Amino acid sequence: MCPNSCTKEEIKNRCCACKSKPIWEIFSNISYKPLYMEYLNPTGHCKIVTNETLTGFKWILHQGGRMTQLPNNICSFSDILVTVDFQRNRLSNIEGINCLKALDSLDVSYNDIQFITNTTFKNMPNLRILRMAHTGIKSLQPYIFELQNTEIFVIDLSHNHFDNLHISNIYPKRSVFCNISFDESNLTLTDVPEFKISLQESYGGGDIIFGTCKTNKHPLSVIFKEPSEIKKAYQYNHTGAFEFSKLTMPCDCHLGELLLSEKDMFERFYSIPNKTQYICLSPENMKGIDVLKTFNNISVFDQFICHKTNFCPEKCTCIEQPSQMRMLVDCSNANLTKIPDIVPQTNYDIELNCSNNKITKLTSPKTLNNHSYLSNITLFDLSKNEVQTIEDKFLEKFNKTSSRLKSLLLLDHKLIELPVLFKSIDPDKVWFGKNSVSCECKDEWIASWRSSVQNKSSNPLFCTNANGVRQAAEEAFSDCYEDEFDQIIFNLFLIPAVVLVTAAVAIYFRYDFVILKNRLVDHRKKTYKYDIFILSDDSNVDVNKFAIDIFLYLKKEGYKCFYPPVDEDVGTIRHIHLDKEIKSSRNIIIIISKPLQNDNFDDLTFRMNQAWKLLSENQVENLLVVLFDGKITDEKWRFPYVRALRRFKRVLNVCSRKYNVKIKISETLPPPEVRTSISFTELHALGELE
């Protein structure tokens, strides 16, 4: 029974889970009498005996005995036996205990129980307290507390050594509970690919007590693979806390990822503020360090690393360093003749050092998937390799819109000609050093490309002409301009005025022609995975909330939608996943807002241009732009085609007083084809948003 005081608590069910009591403790007139044990032989076999009538509620306490198995007639008391205390016996197996349908409290601590399964406590609707401390259990089957018709409020598994503890037993998918204790235990945490945390499920809430346990990794870093996900951890345990008094674990990249979630989020899980310790167990140079006391010490933070061995190229070293949000792949001085085919998968930027090798040709293999990591490279050092040839497919990975590249070092190269595709790369990010390339008049694009370089003296590019004259690339084409001047003037006046007018009209309305062509295409012949793909700057809290409001409304209207912060798969490479899903959508909605961060600004610009390209190629039926906090004139420089979209009534403004944006979207877009259902959780969220 739950005390009345719980009705005043914010989370009533959690209060009840911790403060409820059985009726025989509350009302004195409720019959609650003992049962007794009788041994049948010297080997510990026994049975329950009683002189009482089998009515009311019964309890049995038998501590420090020689019982080796459950009483052979225990199931005869299934409807009346509510409390069992078998501490300090010789039990090795408690299978069959689930016949006690009325059992409220079970204590089998200090026994030598070898195992329990995910059916041991199945169908025990009244079991409230389970104590199994000091039992020597080394392994629990997965999902052992996600039981049919069983919701245990208090679970004590302290003082055990778990060689293999599945993460589902720390984060059970169930309603609220009071606490699960692993205090003074050794935990070797494991994960399996099929275990996924989802906001669409209920994980209830309760205290997970780790106390002074030792573990191979922090529990949160097993569940949440990226720092951005760890920051959302409180959403899955919204009524409880993670209790640590002294947690000993390896100080590796997994803990480094957790530290990235910021100290404020850490303290959300502290039940003993300022008394919790995170002590480094390894590596040797970090042993004994209190992590929280050195939280702001960058030199210590940088040492939270992992050496990646899987898929690390031979003769290379691969180190993941969360403090710098990077993975370092050092393949220098390795006698390589080509760049690595593959590197370890990571959610961070990649810095690849291939300097001082024997690479003369930069090429992309036949299977492009082998080089999928190239677009995630921020620093690529190819110095001292005498590179002579660079293929276009290699350079395509570093274009301005999709690449994270910050520096491509080609010092001491042996290039003869510069591939034209270099002009798709930011020239400030490519370093050629002192060696020159051959420049002819057909290479005039180099001068235009290099004109935007910020510091030409520290980052030069030299050209050598047919006469062997060496000049800075920006000055090497002056004579080419003089030779062509007369021809340019002649051709300019040769063009008829009517052609000029026609060209001007065509240029001004070129985007309108693209939209008109798309509307003439019959899209009904195509099949799509989603009705609508929604994209926004999800780093902006206000924009993200608005986008989720739109997302839930459209789902309620029957549209199958994809919105990255809600539907993006955990552990995937973001840009590859988004490329796949946006191309599988019938309609695209882009919510344009003023950029808060340069990275998100670049990403949203790239996705908007990608959406326009899909429209121009007739791969999507509609592109709808929603202006969150600006006007069309504000966005013209970023997206020149936005005015054409407005002329076709494909631009909506959140600030408009003439219409409700959500309703206007559903009126503008065609009816849903990819039917979907909306969950109760989403309907509830929609109601809160509205």
Side-chain angles (χ1 to χ4, degrees):
M1 298 189 69
C2 183
N4 292 334
S5 60
C6 283
T7 59
K8 301 177 182 179
E9 297 285 336
E10 182 179 357
I11 308 296
K12 177 183 177 182
N13 289 346
R14 172 71 201 288
C15 178
C16 289
C18 294
K19 296 183 179 180
S20 60
K21 293 182 178 180
I23 56 174
W24 53 86
E25 290 185 15
I26 299 174
F27 303 113
S28 58
N29 62 334
I30 300 294
S31 175
Y32 180 63
K33 295 184 178 181
L35 299 174
Y36 302 96
M37 296 288 299
E38 179 180 294
Y39 282 97
L40 302 177
N41 55 41
T43 62
H45 292 196
C46 56
K47 70 175 182 178
I48 298 174
V49 295
T50 181
N51 293 325
E52 298 287 339
T53 58
L54 298 182
T55 58
F57 295 114
K58 306 296 182 183
W59 57 270
I60 185 167
L61 184 150
H62 183 68
Q63 297 181 351
R66 51 189 170 87
M67 180 171 51
T68 57
Q69 63 181 34
L70 294 175
N72 60 13
N73 63 339
I74 194 169
C75 292
S76 300
F77 302 87
S78 62
D79 296 328
I80 59 174
L81 185 54
V82 293
T83 304
V84 172
D85 188 338
F86 288 156
Q87 292 186 63
R88 301 181 185 277
N89 278 276
R90 301 176 185 175
L91 290 171
S92 61
N93 188 341
I94 57 171
E95 294 301 304
I97 194 74
N98 59 356
C99 69
L100 300 179
K101 305 301 181 184
L103 190 63
D104 171 79
S105 176
L106 173 64
D107 193 339
V108 289
S109 300
Y110 296 94
N111 282 273
D112 189 21
I113 298 173
Q114 301 298 315
F115 66 94
I116 57 174
T117 71
N118 50 21
T119 61
T120 301
F121 306 109
K122 185 177 180 181
N123 292 317
M124 300 184 74
N126 295 297
L127 185 58
R128 184 173 55 91
I129 298 174
L130 172 64
R131 302 193 186 279
M132 299 185 67
H134 293 276
T135 54
I137 295 176
K138 293 186 177 181
S139 179
L140 298 176
Q141 288 187 350
Y143 308 101
I144 206 159
F145 300 122
E146 295 181 18
L147 302 170
Q148 180 179 351
N149 298 328
T150 305
E151 291 190 53
I152 309 171
F153 292 163
V154 177
I155 302 171
D156 184 1
L157 292 168
S158 61
H159 298 272
N160 287 297
H161 185 107
F162 294 96
D163 291 337
N164 183 13
L165 183 63
H166 191 272
I167 197 65
S168 64
N169 293 321
I170 291 179
Y171 247 125
K173 187 192 302 181
R174 49 167 291 185
S175 59
V176 293
F177 56 93
C178 186
N179 61 65
I180 302 175
S181 176
F182 296 97
D183 189 21
E184 294 286 348
S185 294
N186 288 345
L187 308 181
T188 299
L189 300 176
T190 60
D191 187 21
V192 289
E194 62 266 21
F195 181 75
K196 301 290 184 183
I197 287 283
S198 170
L199 276 174
Q200 308 305 319
E201 302 287 350
S202 173
Y203 295 86
D207 293 338
I208 310 295
I209 303 173
F210 292 100
T212 59
C213 73
K214 294 182 180 180
T215 178
N216 61 322
K217 58 185 70 173
H218 196 289
L220 290 181
S221 67
V222 178
I223 303 171
F224 305 102
K225 309 301 182 185
E226 296 186 39
S228 60
E229 295 175 338
I230 295 174
K231 292 180 181 180
K232 301 176 183 177
Y234 68 90
Q235 298 180 50
Y236 302 93
N237 191 9
H238 51 85
T239 64
F242 291 87
E243 292 189 12
F244 305 110
S245 53
K246 183 178 179 181
L247 188 62
T248 307
M249 75 191 89
C251 288
D252 55 15
C253 64
H254 300 292
L255 184 57
E257 288 178 347
L258 194 63
L259 290 172
L260 282 177
S261 63
E262 300 178 359
K263 193 174 180 179
D264 290 344
M265 199 287 296
F266 261 54
E267 293 175 349
R268 159 65 177 80
F269 296 104
Y270 295 167
S271 61
I272 317 173
N274 303 320
K275 293 184 180 180
T276 300
Q277 290 182 302
Y278 285 79
I279 304 299
C280 292
L281 182 64
S282 61
E284 193 63 31
N285 65 311
M286 302 279 284
K287 198 170 183 179
I289 289 178
D290 187 338
V291 176
L292 294 180
K293 290 182 179 179
T294 59
F295 183 83
N296 296 317
N297 189 328
I298 299 300
S299 62
V300 175
F301 194 11
D302 284 345
Q303 296 179 60
F304 289 85
I305 61 173
C306 286
H307 288 266
K308 299 288 187 176
T309 55
N310 289 342
F311 302 111
C312 189
E314 188 178 359
K315 299 181 181 179
C316 301
T317 302
C318 302
I319 297 175
E320 199 165 60
Q321 188 180 35
S323 64
Q324 300 296 326
M325 300 289 285
R326 66 182 177 178
M327 183 174 71
L328 302 167
V329 182
D330 186 1
C331 296
S332 60
N333 301 292
N335 288 319
L336 300 182
T337 57
K338 64 175 185 176
I339 65 174
D341 286 332
I342 195 168
V343 300
Q345 188 171 358
T346 181
N347 294 315
Y348 298 129
D349 293 333
I350 299 172
E351 295 184 6
L352 178 57
N353 182 1
C354 289
S355 63
N356 288 292
N357 281 292
K358 300 177 180 178
I359 302 170
T360 59
K361 186 176 183 179
L362 298 177
T363 181
S364 190
K366 293 181 181 178
T367 52
L368 294 179
N369 289 336
N370 286 353
H371 274 211
S372 60
Y373 71 89
L374 290 180
S375 56
N376 294 327
I377 287 180
T378 55
L379 172 63
F380 200 168
D381 191 350
L382 287 158
S383 303
K384 298 183 180 180
N385 271 283
E386 299 190 355
V387 174
Q388 300 173 16
T389 308
I390 304 178
E391 287 191 350
D392 286 350
K393 288 184 178 179
F394 174 85
L395 292 174
E396 285 173 355
K397 296 292 183 179
F398 301 106
N399 66 74
K400 295 178 183 178
T401 54
S402 62
S403 173
R404 302 182 189 178
L405 184 69
K406 295 179 181 177
S407 295
L408 174 61
L409 306 180
L410 291 166
L411 310 182
D412 300 298
H413 67 83
K414 295 296 181 181
L415 291 169
I416 298 174
E417 293 186 354
L418 205 61
V420 177
L421 209 59
F422 261 109
K423 65 182 181 181
S424 66
I425 305 175
D426 186 338
D428 273 312
K429 298 177 180 178
V430 187
W431 300 73
F432 294 97
K434 297 179 180 180
N435 292 3
S436 62
V437 296
S438 173
C439 293
E440 301 177 14
C441 287
K442 65 180 179 62
D443 302 315
E444 290 178 53
W445 63 270
I446 295 176
S448 174
W449 176 61
R450 290 280 304 176
S451 63
S452 63
V453 175
Q454 297 296 317
N455 196 333
K456 297 178 177 62
S457 60
S458 63
N459 181 15
L461 172 60
F462 294 104
C463 281
T464 302
N465 63 19
N467 298 318
V469 177
R470 175 186 167 99
Q471 291 178 288
E474 296 79 13
E475 304 169 358
F477 301 95
S478 58
D479 54 344
C480 296
Y481 304 143
E482 292 172 3
D483 292 340
E484 295 176 0
F485 181 74
D486 292 340
Q487 185 66 35
I488 292 172
I489 296 298
F490 176 78
N491 290 337
L492 180 63
F493 285 99
L494 190 64
I495 299 173
V498 65
V499 174
L500 286 173
V501 173
T502 303
V505 172
I507 291 172
Y508 187 82
F509 292 102
R510 62 190 184 280
Y511 299 116
D512 300 69
F513 296 149
V514 171
I515 300 172
L516 184 60
K517 182 189 72 170
N518 177 271
R519 298 187 71 173
L520 296 176
V521 174
D522 186 3
H523 293 273
R524 292 174 298 178
K525 298 178 181 180
K526 300 180 181 180
T527 56
Y528 297 92
K529 184 178 179 181
Y530 303 99
D531 286 305
I532 299 171
F533 183 104
I534 303 173
L535 192 68
S536 71
D537 180 4
D538 49 50
S539 68
N540 186 319
V541 175
D542 293 330
V543 174
N544 190 38
K545 182 178 179 182
F546 173 75
I548 291 176
D549 190 9
I550 296 294
F551 170 83
L552 294 174
Y553 174 82
L554 292 173
K555 289 199 72 173
K556 185 179 179 182
E557 293 297 308
Y559 292 91
K560 185 173 184 181
C561 303
F562 182 94
Y563 181 53
V566 176
D567 300 307
E568 190 174 355
D569 291 338
V570 174
T572 60
I573 299 176
R574 177 181 174 87
H575 76 274
I576 294 177
H577 185 216
L578 295 190
D579 281 346
K580 178 182 176 183
E581 304 301 343
I582 196 171
K583 292 175 182 177
S584 304
S585 304
R586 182 184 179 194
N587 305 283
I588 300 174
I589 297 176
I590 305 284
I591 302 172
I592 299 177
S593 57
K594 294 178 181 177
L596 297 179
Q597 299 177 15
N598 289 334
D599 289 343
N600 291 313
F601 169 77
D602 291 340
D603 185 62
L604 187 63
T605 302
F606 166 69
R607 290 297 168 193
M608 179 64 177
N609 290 332
Q610 182 186 25
W612 173 258
K613 183 179 180 183
L614 291 174
L615 184 77
S616 64
E617 293 173 353
N618 301 323
Q619 294 188 44
V620 298
E621 186 170 344
N622 287 286
L623 171 59
L624 195 61
V625 174
V626 179
L627 301 177
F628 184 80
D629 51 5
K631 302 177 182 179
I632 290 180
T633 51
D634 297 334
E635 305 302 335
K636 186 178 70 170
W637 67 276
R638 292 169 64 189
F639 313 116
Y641 39 80
V642 73
R643 282 189 170 180
L645 288 169
R646 183 188 63 173
R647 286 191 283 271
F648 281 83
K649 301 187 184 302
R650 291 297 182 267
V651 177
L652 304 177
N653 197 321
V654 173
C655 300
S656 174
R657 295 187 178 93
K658 298 180 180 179
Y659 49 77
N660 180 295
V661 173
K662 292 187 293 185
I663 297 174
K664 193 69 175 178
I665 289 174
S666 61
E667 291 176 349
T668 303
L669 296 180
E673 287 187 355
V674 187
R675 287 286 175 178
T676 185
S677 59
I678 185 166
S679 67
F680 174 81
T681 304
E682 290 173 331
L683 279 172
H684 180 66
L686 179 61
E688 289 186 340
L689 286 169
E690 290 179 343

